[in-house]
Amino acid sequence: MLLIRQSNRANNAVRTTSVGGELFVASVVICMILASFGDAVDPALFGEAGLEFAIFDFGGELSVLAMRHWHLLQLLVAGAVLGVGLAVLRVGAAAVVKALRPADRRAEEKVPIRL
Amino acid sequence: MELDFLSAGFVSALFAIVLIDLVLAGDNALIIGLVARNLPKNTQRKVIFWGTFGAIAVRAVMAILVVYILDLPGFMLAGGLALVWIARKLLTPEEQGAQNHLVKGPATSFAGAIRTIVIADAVMGVDNVLAIGGAATGNVLLIVLGLAISVPIIVWGSQLVIRLVDRFPSIVLLGGAVLAWTGYSMVVREPLLGPWFEGHPATRLVAAILIFSISLAPWYTARMAEQTKPLVVILPGVLVWMLAFEIVASVWTLQMDYLRATETGEYVLEAARWLGWLPLVAAYLWLHERVMLRREHAARS
């Protein structure tokens, strides 16, 4: 029997883990899959037109190819950065959506107007 | 693969080993306590000492065996697939009642107690040693370090580990992801499959997504609505379908590239590859729906 089974929270980690922890692990998994994407592309394909691809790498697809040699620690750091980026994006998007949401019709008259 | 001491690769592999040791550490202290509880006080001390010694010795022997076994063709693939299963098992919650199946009851003799402790550790330690062997990529120093880290956990560290994973349950999720990653790297390092992966580079990505989707299924299933849960079966199923066509193409040297297809048979094959899974998915969804409705009906009546 594993030690983690002794702790109810750890035994049930898929449900008890925090939102931040889950976002971090999900970001690490995304980075791991991106690293395997680098593995999946034959570098010889880019040998012929390397510069052209490098100039038009708007989507960053080629930059991802560099991740093929990344180690676990690099993937963890990248996952942490991606996780923080996604969290910031979420907070920003929530603020924008909140600002754009129209006031309730019944509360229209009560909207304070500061002069 | 050669890793220089304290290089980025070495430290990363060591970190993976520490994480694996944390999440796959077995509860030896509990087993020793259960086995020795009915023995006289004097014998209990001997059982604790020799039981711990035996458990460490068994783990060392298994670690040495894993290094040699993983060098044999086919075992890297088997080890990688075993790690996928271990990751799934790690992320699936277990009932608290099912915890002491390794110990049938308290031992009545010294030899019986030692035997039970050693067998229990061998059973509990297989996944740990296999994962360490995979993460160490054949580096003996890393395997020794992995063993040196797991031994203090066996002897003294159980409470510390429980407290740590209880405070940060995401360590368990991360451990599952690292096991899946180690499993993937073991599968693509398999010498029998090496040339095939070289010839079909795109299959590596398919294999990676397949391994992650199977290993982490308990994690994302917990987040999914009931209606979307069949995706847990459909996504890996479609990836296996695609991989199977790649394998068939290389075994029977068939033309599977739609840009190069010229004959009717090749076009039919292409159509089967890209669309053939749709009726299977539809049949699965219909069956799933029927089963769910029947269960709902049975629950009501």
PDB file of all heavy atoms in Angstrom, chain A residues 14-53:
ATOM      1  N   VAL A  14      -7.108  14.046  -7.297  1.00  0.00           N
ATOM      2  CA  VAL A  14      -7.771  14.587  -8.495  1.00  0.00           C
ATOM      3  C   VAL A  14      -8.912  15.533  -8.127  1.00  0.00           C
ATOM      4  O   VAL A  14      -9.323  16.352  -8.946  1.00  0.00           O
ATOM      5  CB  VAL A  14      -8.302  13.460  -9.418  1.00  0.00           C
ATOM      6  CG1 VAL A  14      -7.189  12.791 -10.148  1.00  0.00           C
ATOM      7  CG2 VAL A  14      -9.128  12.460  -8.666  1.00  0.00           C
ATOM      8  N   ARG A  15      -9.444  15.412  -6.916  1.00  0.00           N
ATOM      9  CA  ARG A  15     -10.553  16.293  -6.520  1.00  0.00           C
ATOM     10  C   ARG A  15     -10.141  17.327  -5.473  1.00  0.00           C
ATOM     11  O   ARG A  15     -10.744  18.385  -5.392  1.00  0.00           O
ATOM     12  CB  ARG A  15     -11.703  15.443  -5.957  1.00  0.00           C
ATOM     13  CG  ARG A  15     -12.381  14.634  -7.046  1.00  0.00           C
ATOM     14  CD  ARG A  15     -13.639  13.967  -6.561  1.00  0.00           C
ATOM     15  NE  ARG A  15     -14.069  12.972  -7.531  1.00  0.00           N
ATOM     16  CZ  ARG A  15     -13.701  11.716  -7.521  1.00  0.00           C
ATOM     17  NH1 ARG A  15     -12.907  11.273  -6.562  1.00  0.00           N
ATOM     18  NH2 ARG A  15     -14.105  10.868  -8.437  1.00  0.00           N
ATOM     19  N   THR A  16      -9.142  17.013  -4.671  1.00  0.00           N
ATOM     20  CA  THR A  16      -8.829  17.896  -3.545  1.00  0.00           C
ATOM     21  C   THR A  16      -7.731  18.922  -3.838  1.00  0.00           C
ATOM     22  O   THR A  16      -7.504  19.804  -3.030  1.00  0.00           O
ATOM     23  CB  THR A  16      -8.389  17.084  -2.317  1.00  0.00           C
ATOM     24  OG1 THR A  16      -7.291  16.278  -2.717  1.00  0.00           O
ATOM     25  CG2 THR A  16      -9.507  16.225  -1.783  1.00  0.00           C
ATOM     26  N   THR A  17      -7.074  18.778  -4.974  1.00  0.00           N
ATOM     27  CA  THR A  17      -5.970  19.696  -5.267  1.00  0.00           C
ATOM     28  C   THR A  17      -6.496  21.118  -5.562  1.00  0.00           C
ATOM     29  O   THR A  17      -7.629  21.279  -6.024  1.00  0.00           O
ATOM     30  CB  THR A  17      -5.126  19.144  -6.436  1.00  0.00           C
ATOM     31  OG1 THR A  17      -3.904  19.829  -6.462  1.00  0.00           O
ATOM     32  CG2 THR A  17      -5.822  19.282  -7.749  1.00  0.00           C
ATOM     33  N   SER A  18      -5.659  22.121  -5.275  1.00  0.00           N
ATOM     34  CA  SER A  18      -6.098  23.510  -5.458  1.00  0.00           C
ATOM     35  C   SER A  18      -6.146  23.862  -6.946  1.00  0.00           C
ATOM     36  O   SER A  18      -5.542  23.176  -7.774  1.00  0.00           O
ATOM     37  CB  SER A  18      -5.123  24.446  -4.757  1.00  0.00           C
ATOM     38  OG  SER A  18      -3.867  24.326  -5.364  1.00  0.00           O
ATOM     39  N   VAL A  19      -6.851  24.947  -7.259  1.00  0.00           N
ATOM     40  CA  VAL A  19      -6.976  25.383  -8.665  1.00  0.00           C
ATOM     41  C   VAL A  19      -5.594  25.733  -9.221  1.00  0.00           C
ATOM     42  O   VAL A  19      -5.242  25.369 -10.348  1.00  0.00           O
ATOM     43  CB  VAL A  19      -7.925  26.601  -8.766  1.00  0.00           C
ATOM     44  CG1 VAL A  19      -8.036  27.085 -10.195  1.00  0.00           C
ATOM     45  CG2 VAL A  19      -9.297  26.238  -8.228  1.00  0.00           C
ATOM     46  N   GLY A  20      -4.794  26.421  -8.378  1.00  0.00           N
ATOM     47  CA  GLY A  20      -3.447  26.814  -8.809  1.00  0.00           C
ATOM     48  C   GLY A  20      -2.574  25.601  -9.098  1.00  0.00           C
ATOM     49  O   GLY A  20      -1.879  25.557 -10.117  1.00  0.00           O
ATOM     50  N   GLY A  21      -2.632  24.627  -8.192  1.00  0.00           N
ATOM     51  CA  GLY A  21      -1.828  23.401  -8.365  1.00  0.00           C
ATOM     52  C   GLY A  21      -2.237  22.657  -9.618  1.00  0.00           C
ATOM     53  O   GLY A  21      -1.391  22.185 -10.378  1.00  0.00           O
ATOM     54  N   GLU A  22      -3.533  22.612  -9.848  1.00  0.00           N
ATOM     55  CA  GLU A  22      -4.032  21.896 -11.019  1.00  0.00           C
ATOM     56  C   GLU A  22      -3.621  22.606 -12.311  1.00  0.00           C
ATOM     57  O   GLU A  22      -3.221  21.966 -13.276  1.00  0.00           O
ATOM     58  CB  GLU A  22      -5.549  21.796 -10.932  1.00  0.00           C
ATOM     59  CG  GLU A  22      -6.081  20.703 -11.818  1.00  0.00           C
ATOM     60  CD  GLU A  22      -7.583  20.581 -11.712  1.00  0.00           C
ATOM     61  OE1 GLU A  22      -8.240  21.582 -11.429  1.00  0.00           O
ATOM     62  OE2 GLU A  22      -8.078  19.491 -11.922  1.00  0.00           O
ATOM     63  N   LEU A  23      -3.691  23.929 -12.280  1.00  0.00           N
ATOM     64  CA  LEU A  23      -3.302  24.718 -13.457  1.00  0.00           C
ATOM     65  C   LEU A  23      -1.813  24.518 -13.751  1.00  0.00           C
ATOM     66  O   LEU A  23      -1.409  24.366 -14.908  1.00  0.00           O
ATOM     67  CB  LEU A  23      -3.604  26.205 -13.201  1.00  0.00           C
ATOM     68  CG  LEU A  23      -3.286  27.157 -14.343  1.00  0.00           C
ATOM     69  CD1 LEU A  23      -4.141  26.854 -15.563  1.00  0.00           C
ATOM     70  CD2 LEU A  23      -3.504  28.600 -13.927  1.00  0.00           C
ATOM     71  N   PHE A  24      -1.002  24.483 -12.677  1.00  0.00           N
ATOM     72  CA  PHE A  24       0.439  24.276 -12.849  1.00  0.00           C
ATOM     73  C   PHE A  24       0.711  22.917 -13.489  1.00  0.00           C
ATOM     74  O   PHE A  24       1.454  22.813 -14.477  1.00  0.00           O
ATOM     75  CB  PHE A  24       1.140  24.387 -11.480  1.00  0.00           C
ATOM     76  CG  PHE A  24       2.549  23.906 -11.484  1.00  0.00           C
ATOM     77  CD1 PHE A  24       3.512  24.526 -12.264  1.00  0.00           C
ATOM     78  CD2 PHE A  24       2.939  22.819 -10.712  1.00  0.00           C
ATOM     79  CE1 PHE A  24       4.823  24.079 -12.278  1.00  0.00           C
ATOM     80  CE2 PHE A  24       4.239  22.361 -10.718  1.00  0.00           C
ATOM     81  CZ  PHE A  24       5.184  22.991 -11.504  1.00  0.00           C
ATOM     82  N   VAL A  25       0.079  21.856 -12.962  1.00  0.00           N
ATOM     83  CA  VAL A  25       0.332  20.509 -13.504  1.00  0.00           C
ATOM     84  C   VAL A  25      -0.182  20.427 -14.950  1.00  0.00           C
ATOM     85  O   VAL A  25       0.493  19.855 -15.816  1.00  0.00           O
ATOM     86  CB  VAL A  25      -0.316  19.424 -12.607  1.00  0.00           C
ATOM     87  CG1 VAL A  25      -0.058  18.039 -13.184  1.00  0.00           C
ATOM     88  CG2 VAL A  25       0.239  19.488 -11.200  1.00  0.00           C
ATOM     89  N   ALA A  26      -1.356  21.029 -15.207  1.00  0.00           N
ATOM     90  CA  ALA A  26      -1.892  21.007 -16.576  1.00  0.00           C
ATOM     91  C   ALA A  26      -0.922  21.717 -17.527  1.00  0.00           C
ATOM     92  O   ALA A  26      -0.687  21.241 -18.645  1.00  0.00           O
ATOM     93  CB  ALA A  26      -3.261  21.684 -16.602  1.00  0.00           C
ATOM     94  N   SER A  27      -0.329  22.835 -17.078  1.00  0.00           N
ATOM     95  CA  SER A  27       0.625  23.570 -17.928  1.00  0.00           C
ATOM     96  C   SER A  27       1.877  22.735 -18.176  1.00  0.00           C
ATOM     97  O   SER A  27       2.417  22.739 -19.297  1.00  0.00           O
ATOM     98  CB  SER A  27       1.020  24.887 -17.272  1.00  0.00           C
ATOM     99  OG  SER A  27      -0.101  25.602 -16.897  1.00  0.00           O
ATOM    100  N   VAL A  28       2.323  22.015 -17.140  1.00  0.00           N
ATOM    101  CA  VAL A  28       3.511  21.154 -17.313  1.00  0.00           C
ATOM    102  C   VAL A  28       3.203  20.061 -18.340  1.00  0.00           C
ATOM    103  O   VAL A  28       4.032  19.760 -19.214  1.00  0.00           O
ATOM    104  CB  VAL A  28       3.948  20.540 -15.959  1.00  0.00           C
ATOM    105  CG1 VAL A  28       5.024  19.489 -16.160  1.00  0.00           C
ATOM    106  CG2 VAL A  28       4.453  21.628 -15.023  1.00  0.00           C
ATOM    107  N   VAL A  29       1.993  19.480 -18.242  1.00  0.00           N
ATOM    108  CA  VAL A  29       1.619  18.414 -19.188  1.00  0.00           C
ATOM    109  C   VAL A  29       1.565  18.982 -20.613  1.00  0.00           C
ATOM    110  O   VAL A  29       2.043  18.338 -21.559  1.00  0.00           O
ATOM    111  CB  VAL A  29       0.259  17.789 -18.789  1.00  0.00           C
ATOM    112  CG1 VAL A  29      -0.270  16.864 -19.883  1.00  0.00           C
ATOM    113  CG2 VAL A  29       0.399  17.009 -17.494  1.00  0.00           C
ATOM    114  N   ILE A  30       1.042  20.212 -20.771  1.00  0.00           N
ATOM    115  CA  ILE A  30       1.006  20.847 -22.104  1.00  0.00           C
ATOM    116  C   ILE A  30       2.437  21.001 -22.632  1.00  0.00           C
ATOM    117  O   ILE A  30       2.726  20.697 -23.787  1.00  0.00           O
ATOM    118  CB  ILE A  30       0.283  22.214 -22.041  1.00  0.00           C
ATOM    119  CG1 ILE A  30      -1.217  21.983 -21.808  1.00  0.00           C
ATOM    120  CG2 ILE A  30       0.490  23.024 -23.319  1.00  0.00           C
ATOM    121  CD1 ILE A  30      -1.991  23.245 -21.486  1.00  0.00           C
ATOM    122  N   CYS A  31       3.350  21.440 -21.748  1.00  0.00           N
ATOM    123  CA  CYS A  31       4.756  21.612 -22.171  1.00  0.00           C
ATOM    124  C   CYS A  31       5.372  20.263 -22.554  1.00  0.00           C
ATOM    125  O   CYS A  31       6.150  20.184 -23.510  1.00  0.00           O
ATOM    126  CB  CYS A  31       5.566  22.263 -21.050  1.00  0.00           C
ATOM    127  SG  CYS A  31       5.154  23.979 -20.829  1.00  0.00           S
ATOM    128  N   MET A  32       5.026  19.213 -21.806  1.00  0.00           N
ATOM    129  CA  MET A  32       5.560  17.879 -22.135  1.00  0.00           C
ATOM    130  C   MET A  32       5.074  17.439 -23.516  1.00  0.00           C
ATOM    131  O   MET A  32       5.836  16.887 -24.320  1.00  0.00           O
ATOM    132  CB  MET A  32       5.113  16.865 -21.075  1.00  0.00           C
ATOM    133  CG  MET A  32       5.865  16.974 -19.769  1.00  0.00           C
ATOM    134  SD  MET A  32       5.121  15.936 -18.510  1.00  0.00           S
ATOM    135  CE  MET A  32       6.342  16.059 -17.212  1.00  0.00           C
ATOM    136  N   ILE A  33       3.788  17.694 -23.818  1.00  0.00           N
ATOM    137  CA  ILE A  33       3.247  17.300 -25.122  1.00  0.00           C
ATOM    138  C   ILE A  33       3.882  18.144 -26.231  1.00  0.00           C
ATOM    139  O   ILE A  33       4.211  17.637 -27.303  1.00  0.00           O
ATOM    140  CB  ILE A  33       1.698  17.409 -25.124  1.00  0.00           C
ATOM    141  CG1 ILE A  33       1.134  16.315 -24.212  1.00  0.00           C
ATOM    142  CG2 ILE A  33       1.130  17.252 -26.527  1.00  0.00           C
ATOM    143  CD1 ILE A  33      -0.349  16.363 -23.988  1.00  0.00           C
ATOM    144  N   LEU A  34       4.120  19.441 -25.945  1.00  0.00           N
ATOM    145  CA  LEU A  34       4.791  20.299 -26.939  1.00  0.00           C
ATOM    146  C   LEU A  34       6.218  19.800 -27.201  1.00  0.00           C
ATOM    147  O   LEU A  34       6.693  19.831 -28.334  1.00  0.00           O
ATOM    148  CB  LEU A  34       4.817  21.753 -26.461  1.00  0.00           C
ATOM    149  CG  LEU A  34       3.488  22.503 -26.501  1.00  0.00           C
ATOM    150  CD1 LEU A  34       3.661  23.907 -25.945  1.00  0.00           C
ATOM    151  CD2 LEU A  34       2.943  22.566 -27.918  1.00  0.00           C
ATOM    152  N   ALA A  35       6.872  19.336 -26.133  1.00  0.00           N
ATOM    153  CA  ALA A  35       8.231  18.802 -26.297  1.00  0.00           C
ATOM    154  C   ALA A  35       8.206  17.559 -27.178  1.00  0.00           C
ATOM    155  O   ALA A  35       9.095  17.357 -28.017  1.00  0.00           O
ATOM    156  CB  ALA A  35       8.832  18.478 -24.935  1.00  0.00           C
ATOM    157  N   SER A  36       7.174  16.724 -27.003  1.00  0.00           N
ATOM    158  CA  SER A  36       7.084  15.523 -27.851  1.00  0.00           C
ATOM    159  C   SER A  36       6.709  15.915 -29.285  1.00  0.00           C
ATOM    160  O   SER A  36       7.029  15.198 -30.226  1.00  0.00           O
ATOM    161  CB  SER A  36       6.084  14.528 -27.280  1.00  0.00           C
ATOM    162  OG  SER A  36       4.792  15.044 -27.353  1.00  0.00           O
ATOM    163  N   PHE A  37       6.052  17.075 -29.460  1.00  0.00           N
ATOM    164  CA  PHE A  37       5.764  17.579 -30.811  1.00  0.00           C
ATOM    165  C   PHE A  37       7.091  17.883 -31.527  1.00  0.00           C
ATOM    166  O   PHE A  37       7.259  17.592 -32.707  1.00  0.00           O
ATOM    167  CB  PHE A  37       4.886  18.833 -30.720  1.00  0.00           C
ATOM    168  CG  PHE A  37       4.694  19.546 -32.022  1.00  0.00           C
ATOM    169  CD1 PHE A  37       3.931  18.975 -33.028  1.00  0.00           C
ATOM    170  CD2 PHE A  37       5.273  20.786 -32.252  1.00  0.00           C
ATOM    171  CE1 PHE A  37       3.752  19.635 -34.237  1.00  0.00           C
ATOM    172  CE2 PHE A  37       5.091  21.443 -33.458  1.00  0.00           C
ATOM    173  CZ  PHE A  37       4.336  20.869 -34.453  1.00  0.00           C
ATOM    174  N   GLY A  38       8.041  18.446 -30.770  1.00  0.00           N
ATOM    175  CA  GLY A  38       9.370  18.694 -31.334  1.00  0.00           C
ATOM    176  C   GLY A  38      10.035  17.405 -31.775  1.00  0.00           C
ATOM    177  O   GLY A  38      10.726  17.345 -32.787  1.00  0.00           O
ATOM    178  N   ASP A  39       9.781  16.333 -30.997  1.00  0.00           N
ATOM    179  CA  ASP A  39      10.323  15.013 -31.328  1.00  0.00           C
ATOM    180  C   ASP A  39       9.706  14.472 -32.608  1.00  0.00           C
ATOM    181  O   ASP A  39      10.326  13.702 -33.335  1.00  0.00           O
ATOM    182  CB  ASP A  39       9.961  14.032 -30.191  1.00  0.00           C
ATOM    183  CG  ASP A  39      11.146  13.756 -29.294  1.00  0.00           C
ATOM    184  OD1 ASP A  39      12.239  14.227 -29.630  1.00  0.00           O
ATOM    185  OD2 ASP A  39      10.967  13.074 -28.269  1.00  0.00           O
ATOM    186  N   ALA A  40       8.434  14.859 -32.832  1.00  0.00           N
ATOM    187  CA  ALA A  40       7.661  14.249 -33.909  1.00  0.00           C
ATOM    188  C   ALA A  40       7.963  14.848 -35.276  1.00  0.00           C
ATOM    189  O   ALA A  40       7.588  14.292 -36.286  1.00  0.00           O
ATOM    190  CB  ALA A  40       6.163  14.403 -33.619  1.00  0.00           C
ATOM    191  N   VAL A  41       8.640  16.004 -35.303  1.00  0.00           N
ATOM    192  CA  VAL A  41       8.899  16.653 -36.593  1.00  0.00           C
ATOM    193  C   VAL A  41      10.306  16.305 -37.047  1.00  0.00           C
ATOM    194  O   VAL A  41      11.255  16.390 -36.276  1.00  0.00           O
ATOM    195  CB  VAL A  41       8.725  18.186 -36.458  1.00  0.00           C
ATOM    196  CG1 VAL A  41       9.037  18.870 -37.763  1.00  0.00           C
ATOM    197  CG2 VAL A  41       7.305  18.496 -36.038  1.00  0.00           C
ATOM    198  N   ASP A  42      10.391  15.884 -38.285  1.00  0.00           N
ATOM    199  CA  ASP A  42      11.680  15.519 -38.845  1.00  0.00           C
ATOM    200  C   ASP A  42      12.473  16.800 -39.132  1.00  0.00           C
ATOM    201  O   ASP A  42      12.044  17.609 -39.967  1.00  0.00           O
ATOM    202  CB  ASP A  42      11.422  14.733 -40.142  1.00  0.00           C
ATOM    203  CG  ASP A  42      12.703  14.182 -40.716  1.00  0.00           C
ATOM    204  OD1 ASP A  42      13.756  14.411 -40.095  1.00  0.00           O
ATOM    205  OD2 ASP A  42      12.640  13.531 -41.772  1.00  0.00           O
ATOM    206  N   PRO A  43      13.629  17.010 -38.454  1.00  0.00           N
ATOM    207  CA  PRO A  43      14.381  18.262 -38.658  1.00  0.00           C
ATOM    208  C   PRO A  43      14.852  18.431 -40.099  1.00  0.00           C
ATOM    209  O   PRO A  43      15.034  19.556 -40.561  1.00  0.00           O
ATOM    210  CB  PRO A  43      15.580  18.129 -37.716  1.00  0.00           C
ATOM    211  CG  PRO A  43      15.302  16.961 -36.854  1.00  0.00           C
ATOM    212  CD  PRO A  43      14.272  16.128 -37.509  1.00  0.00           C
ATOM    213  N   ALA A  44      14.982  17.306 -40.818  1.00  0.00           N
ATOM    214  CA  ALA A  44      15.434  17.400 -42.215  1.00  0.00           C
ATOM    215  C   ALA A  44      14.438  18.187 -43.068  1.00  0.00           C
ATOM    216  O   ALA A  44      14.801  18.794 -44.065  1.00  0.00           O
ATOM    217  CB  ALA A  44      15.610  16.000 -42.784  1.00  0.00           C
ATOM    218  N   LEU A  45      13.167  18.175 -42.628  1.00  0.00           N
ATOM    219  CA  LEU A  45      12.124  18.900 -43.360  1.00  0.00           C
ATOM    220  C   LEU A  45      12.441  20.389 -43.430  1.00  0.00           C
ATOM    221  O   LEU A  45      12.103  21.065 -44.389  1.00  0.00           O
ATOM    222  CB  LEU A  45      10.777  18.739 -42.648  1.00  0.00           C
ATOM    223  CG  LEU A  45       9.953  17.497 -42.972  1.00  0.00           C
ATOM    224  CD1 LEU A  45       8.714  17.473 -42.103  1.00  0.00           C
ATOM    225  CD2 LEU A  45       9.547  17.506 -44.448  1.00  0.00           C
ATOM    226  N   PHE A  46      13.058  20.890 -42.368  1.00  0.00           N
ATOM    227  CA  PHE A  46      13.307  22.325 -42.288  1.00  0.00           C
ATOM    228  C   PHE A  46      14.697  22.712 -42.777  1.00  0.00           C
ATOM    229  O   PHE A  46      15.028  23.883 -42.816  1.00  0.00           O
ATOM    230  CB  PHE A  46      13.102  22.812 -40.849  1.00  0.00           C
ATOM    231  CG  PHE A  46      11.709  22.568 -40.372  1.00  0.00           C
ATOM    232  CD1 PHE A  46      11.429  21.514 -39.522  1.00  0.00           C
ATOM    233  CD2 PHE A  46      10.677  23.364 -40.812  1.00  0.00           C
ATOM    234  CE1 PHE A  46      10.142  21.272 -39.109  1.00  0.00           C
ATOM    235  CE2 PHE A  46       9.384  23.129 -40.410  1.00  0.00           C
ATOM    236  CZ  PHE A  46       9.117  22.077 -39.558  1.00  0.00           C
ATOM    237  N   GLY A  47      15.479  21.715 -43.117  1.00  0.00           N
ATOM    238  CA  GLY A  47      16.845  21.971 -43.571  1.00  0.00           C
ATOM    239  C   GLY A  47      16.864  22.786 -44.848  1.00  0.00           C
ATOM    240  O   GLY A  47      17.667  23.697 -45.022  1.00  0.00           O
ATOM    241  N   GLU A  48      15.899  22.458 -45.748  1.00  0.00           N
ATOM    242  CA  GLU A  48      15.919  23.095 -47.075  1.00  0.00           C
ATOM    243  C   GLU A  48      15.490  24.565 -47.016  1.00  0.00           C
ATOM    244  O   GLU A  48      16.039  25.408 -47.694  1.00  0.00           O
ATOM    245  CB  GLU A  48      14.987  22.332 -48.022  1.00  0.00           C
ATOM    246  CG  GLU A  48      15.434  20.904 -48.232  1.00  0.00           C
ATOM    247  CD  GLU A  48      14.306  20.007 -48.702  1.00  0.00           C
ATOM    248  OE1 GLU A  48      13.215  20.527 -48.993  1.00  0.00           O
ATOM    249  OE2 GLU A  48      14.520  18.792 -48.729  1.00  0.00           O
ATOM    250  N   ALA A  49      14.456  24.825 -46.211  1.00  0.00           N
ATOM    251  CA  ALA A  49      13.915  26.196 -46.190  1.00  0.00           C
ATOM    252  C   ALA A  49      13.922  26.752 -44.771  1.00  0.00           C
ATOM    253  O   ALA A  49      12.963  27.357 -44.337  1.00  0.00           O
ATOM    254  CB  ALA A  49      12.515  26.170 -46.756  1.00  0.00           C
ATOM    255  N   GLY A  50      14.998  26.507 -44.055  1.00  0.00           N
ATOM    256  CA  GLY A  50      15.075  26.878 -42.638  1.00  0.00           C
ATOM    257  C   GLY A  50      14.846  28.354 -42.383  1.00  0.00           C
ATOM    258  O   GLY A  50      14.016  28.732 -41.572  1.00  0.00           O
ATOM    259  N   LEU A  51      15.534  29.212 -43.139  1.00  0.00           N
ATOM    260  CA  LEU A  51      15.450  30.661 -42.906  1.00  0.00           C
ATOM    261  C   LEU A  51      14.029  31.169 -43.163  1.00  0.00           C
ATOM    262  O   LEU A  51      13.476  31.935 -42.385  1.00  0.00           O
ATOM    263  CB  LEU A  51      16.459  31.384 -43.804  1.00  0.00           C
ATOM    264  CG  LEU A  51      16.551  32.897 -43.576  1.00  0.00           C
ATOM    265  CD1 LEU A  51      17.080  33.204 -42.187  1.00  0.00           C
ATOM    266  CD2 LEU A  51      17.438  33.546 -44.641  1.00  0.00           C
ATOM    267  N   GLU A  52      13.460  30.677 -44.272  1.00  0.00           N
ATOM    268  CA  GLU A  52      12.104  31.099 -44.645  1.00  0.00           C
ATOM    269  C   GLU A  52      11.127  30.755 -43.517  1.00  0.00           C
ATOM    270  O   GLU A  52      10.288  31.565 -43.129  1.00  0.00           O
ATOM    271  CB  GLU A  52      11.701  30.373 -45.922  1.00  0.00           C
ATOM    272  CG  GLU A  52      10.513  30.985 -46.607  1.00  0.00           C
ATOM    273  CD  GLU A  52      10.138  30.194 -47.854  1.00  0.00           C
ATOM    274  OE1 GLU A  52      11.065  29.694 -48.547  1.00  0.00           O
ATOM    275  OE2 GLU A  52       8.944  30.061 -48.098  1.00  0.00           O
ATOM    276  N   PHE A  53      11.260  29.540 -42.981  1.00  0.00           N
ATOM    277  CA  PHE A  53      10.382  29.123 -41.889  1.00  0.00           C
ATOM    278  C   PHE A  53      10.617  29.972 -40.646  1.00  0.00           C
ATOM    279  O   PHE A  53       9.688  30.347 -39.945  1.00  0.00           O
ATOM    280  CB  PHE A  53      10.596  27.645 -41.558  1.00  0.00           C
ATOM    281  CG  PHE A  53       9.775  26.727 -42.398  1.00  0.00           C
ATOM    282  CD1 PHE A  53      10.351  25.976 -43.403  1.00  0.00           C
ATOM    283  CD2 PHE A  53       8.406  26.612 -42.194  1.00  0.00           C
ATOM    284  CE1 PHE A  53       9.595  25.126 -44.176  1.00  0.00           C
ATOM    285  CE2 PHE A  53       7.630  25.776 -42.973  1.00  0.00           C
ATOM    286  CZ  PHE A  53       8.235  25.024 -43.974  1.00  0.00           C
TER     287      PHE A  53
END
